[in-house]
């Protein structure tokens, strides 16, 4: 029985490159919320102690307020937390302190950065997601949603994705000068297609972890596919795994 596919978001960039972003699950989201909630708790704890230095009976002052004033105070406390999440997500490209610590980010459903409107709506709905307590409504919504979206995400058109580190060295690293000079030129070879480029780059990134036999065999197959048509030049390329990979790297660099 094959495992269930991991939820993900497919994004097409303007350069016509398809990206797959893994969706953050309920565990990531809960841990990120705990970090942010802890920060807010300590903020209000410090604010309370500062207020006690100015007023001896804090509870008495609160009870002495009118009903309207008490309501406004509660709304003000919620507004402060709402501003924390909204401003953080807008200024830091979809991340709060907790989300950054867990490596997750809020984006629109099309993968674009979250805006003021989307962040404001999704965070305003926290009051509903919290019901009846401890984010019960949000947890149920995330468990029932294929992409683990809570009510605020559904209304705002957002979701949370995980950030993955991508090794870009294979795209930017140039071959050593000695190997580049030793590798024969690919005169007369056909232009590389995008599939050929990606295939060569994938091989070059994985080559150090392969056994010498497999490394040489795969390199030879790629040279047959993208190498020079001249048999003598191809034999020189296949003289060693170093010359083979130097040729392939130079071949890709020449197409860019």
């Amino acid at each position: 029985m094959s495992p269930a596919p991991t939820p993900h978001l497919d994004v097409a960039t303007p350069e016509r490159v398809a990206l797959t972003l893994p969706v953050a699950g309920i565990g990531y989201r809960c841990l990120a919320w705990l970090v942010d909630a802890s920060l807010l708790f300590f903020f209000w704890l410090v604010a309370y102690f500062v207020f006690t230095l100015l007023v001896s009976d804090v509870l008495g002052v609160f009870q002495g307020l009118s009903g309207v004033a008490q309501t406004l105070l509660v709304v003000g406390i919620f507004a402060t937390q709402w501003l924390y999440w909204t401003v953080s997500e807008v200024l830091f490209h979809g991340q709060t302190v907790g989300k950054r610590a867990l490596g997750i980010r809020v984006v629109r459903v099309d993968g674009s950065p979250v805006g003021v409107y989307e962040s404001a709506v999704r965070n305003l709905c926290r009051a509903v997601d919290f019901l009846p307590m401890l984010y019960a409504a949000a947890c149920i919504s995330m468990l029932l949603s294929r992409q683990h979206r809570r009510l605020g995400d559904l209304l705002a058109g957002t979701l949370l994705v995980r950030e993955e580190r991508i090794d870009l060295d294979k795209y930017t690293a140039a071959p050593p000068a000695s190997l580049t000079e030793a590798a024969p030129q690919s005169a007369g070879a056909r232009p590389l297609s995008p599939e050929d480029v990606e295939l060569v780059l994938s091989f070059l990134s994985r080559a150090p972890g392969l056994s010498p036999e497999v490394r040489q065999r795969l390199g030879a197959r790629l040279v047959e596919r993208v190498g020079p048509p001249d048999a003598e030049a191809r034999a020189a390329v296949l003289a060693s795994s170093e010359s083979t990979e130097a040729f392939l790297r130079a071949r890709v660099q020449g197409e860019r």
Side-chain angles (χ1 to χ4, degrees), residues 180-237:
T180 305
E181 295 172 357
Q185 298 299 316
S186 55
R190 64 175 178 82
L192 299 185
S193 65
E195 292 77 10
D196 292 332
V197 173
E198 186 60 33
L199 187 61
V200 172
L201 291 174
S202 179
F203 165 74
L204 293 175
S205 67
R206 292 182 171 89
L210 301 176
S211 64
E213 296 80 8
V214 175
R215 187 172 182 173
Q216 183 65 26
R217 185 172 70 251
L218 292 178
R221 293 180 62 181
L222 285 175
V223 170
E224 292 177 2
R225 177 168 177 167
V226 303
D230 182 68
E232 184 177 351
R234 185 176 299 178
V237 170

Side-chain angles (χ1 to χ4, degrees), residues 3-204:
T6 304
H8 62 275
L9 174 66
D10 294 323
V11 179
T13 66
E15 293 78 14
R16 301 179 65 183
V17 177
L19 298 178
T20 299
L21 305 176
V23 174
I26 187 172
Y28 283 92
R29 300 186 61 146
C30 288
L31 290 175
W33 177 83
L34 285 175
V35 173
D36 289 323
S38 299
L39 288 176
L40 289 170
F41 172 77
F42 283 113
F43 167 79
W44 287 115
L45 189 64
V46 171
Y48 173 80
F49 279 111
V50 171
F51 193 68
T52 56
L53 297 177
L54 303 175
V55 180
S56 58
D57 187 8
V58 177
L59 183 59
V61 171
F62 178 78
Q63 291 176 341
L65 297 175
S66 63
V68 175
Q70 292 179 358
T71 302
L72 291 177
L73 181 60
V74 173
V75 171
I77 293 175
F78 174 80
T80 302
Q81 300 181 78
W82 173 76
L83 283 173
Y84 163 76
W85 269 295
T86 301
V87 173
S88 297
E89 290 176 357
V90 172
L91 294 183
F92 301 112
H93 310 291
Q95 289 187 314
T96 60
V97 175
K99 292 181 179 67
R100 185 175 181 85
L102 271 295
I104 61 178
R105 183 184 302 273
V106 181
V107 297
R108 295 190 178 107
V109 290
D110 60 356
S112 59
V114 68
V116 177
Y117 171 77
E118 292 84 8
S119 182
V121 171
R122 72 182 304 274
N123 289 304
L124 190 61
C125 291
R126 289 184 183 275
V128 179
D129 286 325
F130 191 82
L131 299 175
M133 62 179 60
L134 299 178
Y135 274 90
C139 291
I140 294 175
S141 176
M142 284 187 283
L143 291 174
L144 296 179
S145 173
R146 184 175 63 86
Q147 294 182 322
H148 307 302
R149 300 166 68 189
R150 61 180 178 85
L151 179 61
D153 292 316
L154 295 173
L155 292 177
T158 59
L159 74 161
L160 270 74
V161 296
R162 301 200 312 270
E163 293 186 326
E164 291 188 337
R165 295 184 179 273
I166 300 175
D167 183 14
L168 297 179
D169 289 342
K170 66 176 184 178
Y171 296 98
T172 58
S178 59
L179 292 179
T180 305
E181 295 172 357
Q185 298 299 316
S186 55
R190 64 175 178 82
L192 299 185
S193 65
E195 292 77 10
D196 292 332
V197 173
E198 186 60 33
L199 187 61
V200 172
L201 291 174
S202 179
F203 165 74
L204 293 175

